[in-house]
Amino acid sequence: MSLELWLLFVPAAFALNVLPGPNNMLAMTNGLRYGLLYALKGGVGRLLAFSILIFLTATGLGAILSTSVTAFYLLKIAGALYLVYLGYRLWRSQPEAISDSAFTKEQKVSTRNIIRQEFFVAITNPKAILIFTAFFPQFLVADTPMLPQFGIMGITFTVLEIIALILYAVSGRQLAFLTRTVRGQKIMNRTSGSLLIGAGGLLAISK
């Protein structure tokens, strides 16, 4: 994977990582309820689930795309359009403020339970596999082995996911106002949406 392509991948992937989705909202809630350490421990479940989904995507898509150039480019175009659509929907979405009643005084929780909770939220999210299926192929080079490329993107995505986890866990304790208000979520949605639309547009016209 070339440095230029990787530098394009990183901001587009991070836009997906920081979306205020179920796992990020859960990390923020856990950060406030149970503390930063427990929120980060719970994130292990999310990372495990995403690693499984990335592996399944890489092995399944890699086999198909390696044998069919037509399928490769059709999926690339469809994925680029999907990213633009996802960005548009995100830009237009109307967030809702999280009620203060959802946050309580810091409590105790089992590490196993909080990891299991994050895992099941991530593994049962249908958007996750769609994102990996539509997003990763945009950065593949057709005449280069697929699995190493998926490996680089998978590792990068996981590192960025850890950063997003930390940001949301910290926000639950210190910066909750950034994501608990309609204004804060709208700014995040529009910033992430713009990055996705831009990435999808550039990839759709790239050779």
Side-chain angles (χ1 to χ4, degrees), residues 126-139:
K127 288 185 178 180
I129 189 66
L130 289 175
I131 287 175
F132 293 138
T133 304
F135 181 67
F136 278 27
Q138 305 305 309
F139 301 88

Side-chain angles (χ1 to χ4, degrees), residues 36-108:
L36 179 60
L37 181 59
Y38 275 103
L40 296 179
K41 287 180 180 179
V44 172
R46 177 203 312 199
L47 298 177
L48 177 60
F50 283 172
S51 296
I52 292 173
L53 293 177
I54 290 173
F55 175 78
L56 294 176
T57 302
T59 53
L61 280 181
I64 295 173
L65 300 181
S66 295
T67 58
S68 175
V69 176
T70 301
F72 176 88
Y73 285 109
L74 286 177
L75 185 59
K76 184 177 178 67
I77 293 172
L81 293 175
Y82 175 73
L83 289 179
V84 173
Y85 169 75
L86 185 65
Y88 173 76
R89 288 291 302 272
L90 187 61
W91 177 276
R92 297 278 298 173
S93 65
Q94 296 298 322
E96 296 182 0
I98 300 175
S99 172
D100 288 337
S101 63
F103 300 93
T104 61
K105 186 175 165 183
E106 188 171 308
Q107 308 164 23
K108 292 184 179 179

Side-chain angles (χ1 to χ4, degrees), residues 4-188:
E4 292 78 9
L5 195 58
W6 183 80
L7 290 176
L8 180 60
F9 173 81
V10 170
F14 193 58
L16 294 174
N17 292 120
V18 298
L19 292 178
N23 280 100
N24 283 335
M25 291 296 100
L26 180 59
M28 187 180 71
T29 303
N30 287 339
L32 186 53
R33 286 180 173 175
Y34 311 121
L36 179 60
L37 181 59
Y38 275 103
L40 296 179
K41 287 180 180 179
V44 172
R46 177 203 312 199
L47 298 177
L48 177 60
F50 283 172
S51 296
I52 292 173
L53 293 177
I54 290 173
F55 175 78
L56 294 176
T57 302
T59 53
L61 280 181
I64 295 173
L65 300 181
S66 295
T67 58
S68 175
V69 176
T70 301
F72 176 88
Y73 285 109
L74 286 177
L75 185 59
K76 184 177 178 67
I77 293 172
L81 293 175
Y82 175 73
L83 289 179
V84 173
Y85 169 75
L86 185 65
Y88 173 76
R89 288 291 302 272
L90 187 61
W91 177 276
R92 297 278 298 173
S93 65
Q94 296 298 322
E96 296 182 0
I98 300 175
S99 172
D100 288 337
S101 63
F103 300 93
T104 61
K105 186 175 165 183
E106 188 171 308
Q107 308 164 23
K108 292 184 179 179
V109 65
S110 164
T111 299
R112 180 180 298 179
N113 287 342
I114 202 170
I115 291 176
R116 184 187 299 116
Q117 185 183 38
E118 279 262 16
F119 176 84
F120 281 112
V121 169
I123 204 72
T124 57
N125 184 359
K127 288 185 178 180
I129 189 66
L130 289 175
I131 287 175
F132 293 138
T133 304
F135 181 67
F136 278 27
Q138 305 305 309
F139 301 88
L140 293 173
V141 178
D143 57 355
T144 303
M146 298 291 174
L147 288 181
Q149 297 181 76
F150 270 110
I152 293 172
M153 288 187 288
I155 292 172
T156 302
F157 191 91
T158 301
V159 171
L160 295 175
E161 188 66 27
I162 292 173
I163 295 174
L165 167 64
I166 294 172
L167 290 176
Y168 274 90
V170 170
S171 76
R173 297 300 293 168
Q174 306 293 337
L175 305 172
F177 68 92
L178 292 177
T179 48
R180 289 172 63 188
T181 66
V182 171
R183 178 178 175 80
Q185 290 188 43
K186 183 176 291 187
I187 292 173
M188 182 177 293

